[in-house]
Amino acid sequence: MHSINYFNTLIAPPDDCKAVAKVPEKAGSIAQLQYAMIMDAPLTHTSDDVLVAVTGTRKDVPRDEWDDLKKDLFSKGQPCFRASPLVKTHGWAIYSDRAGRVELVDPTSGRFAALETDLETAKVMGMRNQRR
């Protein structure tokens, strides 16, 4: 079974992202649902958890069927948070701790600076919006 979880990794917004830590406004959008879930409970959910919950919510899958949804989703590869609209267009960084649980980080914050200079934290860039 596939997974999109990262561990002890900071995903930074791509250099072509025009926003910086912008709160998604469109109700029911992928970005807004991801934002709400992660901000309401930072370092509680993994990327896999967020993907399943957002997909289940958007497709009106009853919560008691999310285990089956997860098996179906991860029977094939899924885009990771490097491709999330939170990173690509809203300018958030996403940190995954050692257990794979995620939190949103404002790239202008001291928290981001500390993670960026932490030698034990892996750093990856979010996917660019446009080809070079």
Side-chain angles (χ1 to χ4, degrees):
M1 187 153 84
H2 296 274
S3 172
I4 62 168
N5 290 338
Y6 280 92
F7 300 92
N8 199 30
T9 302
L10 178 65
I11 301 172
D15 55 8
D16 68 343
C17 180
K18 293 176 176 47
V20 178
K22 179 181 169 221
V23 176
E25 295 176 5
K26 185 177 178 187
S29 68
I30 291 171
Q32 188 273 326
L33 293 170
Q34 288 177 345
Y35 176 86
M37 185 172 181
I38 297 169
M39 283 303 252
D40 287 349
L43 297 175
T44 301
H45 308 289
T46 66
S47 300
D48 289 356
D49 297 337
V50 175
L51 175 67
V52 171
V54 169
T55 302
T57 299
R58 287 178 54 92
K59 292 187 175 187
D60 292 323
V61 175
R63 192 171 181 91
D64 63 344
E65 295 177 18
W66 284 7
D67 285 339
D68 292 333
L69 175 63
K70 182 176 184 173
K71 288 176 189 168
D72 183 50
L73 282 172
F74 291 111
S75 67
K76 51 195 175 292
Q78 296 294 320
C80 68
F81 267 151
R82 289 185 57 226
S84 168
L86 289 176
V87 174
K88 287 181 68 170
T89 57
H90 294 276
W92 287 96
I94 298 178
Y95 172 68
S96 299
D97 70 7
R98 293 185 190 284
R101 298 169 303 209
V102 295
E103 72 174 316
L104 294 177
V105 181
D106 181 335
T108 64
S109 70
R111 172 83 170 134
F112 182 86
L115 289 167
E116 197 171 43
T117 58
D118 180 5
L119 298 177
E120 293 185 15
T121 301
K123 288 87 176 168
V124 295
M125 187 70 66
M127 298 182 102
R128 293 178 51 80
N129 292 295
Q130 299 176 6
R131 293 181 187 222
R132 288 186 181 202

